[in-house]
Amino acid sequence: MFEKLKAMLTANHARFREIHHPSEGNSERVATVRGTEVGQGAKAMLCSAKEDENILILAILPGDKKLDFKKLAQAVPCKKITLAAPEVATEKTGCVIGAIPPFSFSPHIRLIVDPGLLARYEEIAFNAGRLDTSIVLNAEDYVRISRPSLHDICVTE
């Protein structure tokens, strides 16, 4: 996955850098080792519709926020959303939980990004398919390449 990401970003002339660090999947701890803020982290959560587990959504939100499942269900739209089981997430994304990048490489996984992630920082950071390697990517390049659906999906504080 890491090589696939790097090749895609390079081919699309994205402004990015890679950071190698000790394995870490926790948003707060990985931000520290990256030297970034927690909110810059693009937290990727694979979810599915409760009524049809074949409806898969990769929800991307700032690392310092929580996912509002009701808002995500309204964005899809569907009745109820749940987190995909870890084994399903690994099977569908090719990555373990915590290492899933904020890109969908499957036509069967819809990409929904909270615009708050992109509004706060010029760069986003994420584990690049591995727990020991991160990419810090220009936010404009991320949107241009990933073409996500943008919806408010975070819990309101």
Side-chain angles (χ1 to χ4, degrees):
M1 178 58 71
F2 173 68
E3 294 303 325
K4 186 177 188 174
L5 280 166
K6 244 174 77 167
M8 177 188 65
L9 295 174
T10 301
N12 284 284
H13 308 288
R15 294 162 283 179
F16 74 98
R17 64 187 181 279
E18 56 189 85
I19 301 171
H20 300 278
H21 51 75
S23 290
E24 189 55 69
N26 174 278
S27 297
E28 290 80 19
R29 290 193 299 260
V30 77
T32 301
V33 297
R34 285 181 190 141
T36 58
E37 293 185 31
V38 179
Q40 278 181 276
K43 185 177 358 181
M45 301 173 74
L46 188 67
C47 302
S48 62
K50 197 79 158 157
E51 62 266 25
D52 184 351
E53 62 188 31
N54 292 316
I55 297 173
L56 295 171
I57 306 99
L58 187 58
I60 311 298
L61 56 152
D64 60 352
K65 300 289 182 183
K66 292 186 183 338
L67 180 61
D68 185 320
F69 288 94
K70 288 181 182 178
K71 287 182 180 179
L72 184 58
Q74 290 171 345
V76 170
C78 65
K79 290 180 184 171
K80 193 169 184 181
I81 294 282
T82 186
L83 276 177
E87 58 275 6
V88 172
T90 299
E91 174 192 336
K92 299 296 184 180
T93 67
C95 302
V96 298
I97 299 290
I100 300 170
F103 292 90
S104 175
F105 291 99
S106 168
H108 305 293
I109 301 175
R110 184 170 171 196
L111 182 64
I112 297 182
V113 176
D114 188 280
L117 173 67
L118 309 167
R120 291 165 59 192
Y121 302 99
E122 288 184 21
E123 294 180 317
I124 63 168
F126 54 91
N127 279 350
R130 303 164 42 159
L131 293 174
D132 64 353
T133 306
S134 293
I135 288 179
V136 178
L137 172 63
N138 176 274
E140 290 176 356
D141 290 343
Y142 169 67
V143 172
R144 176 177 54 83
I145 295 165
S146 68
R147 296 192 210 149
S149 294
L150 298 174
H151 295 277
D152 174 13
I153 56 172
C154 291
V155 171
T156 304
E157 296 173 358

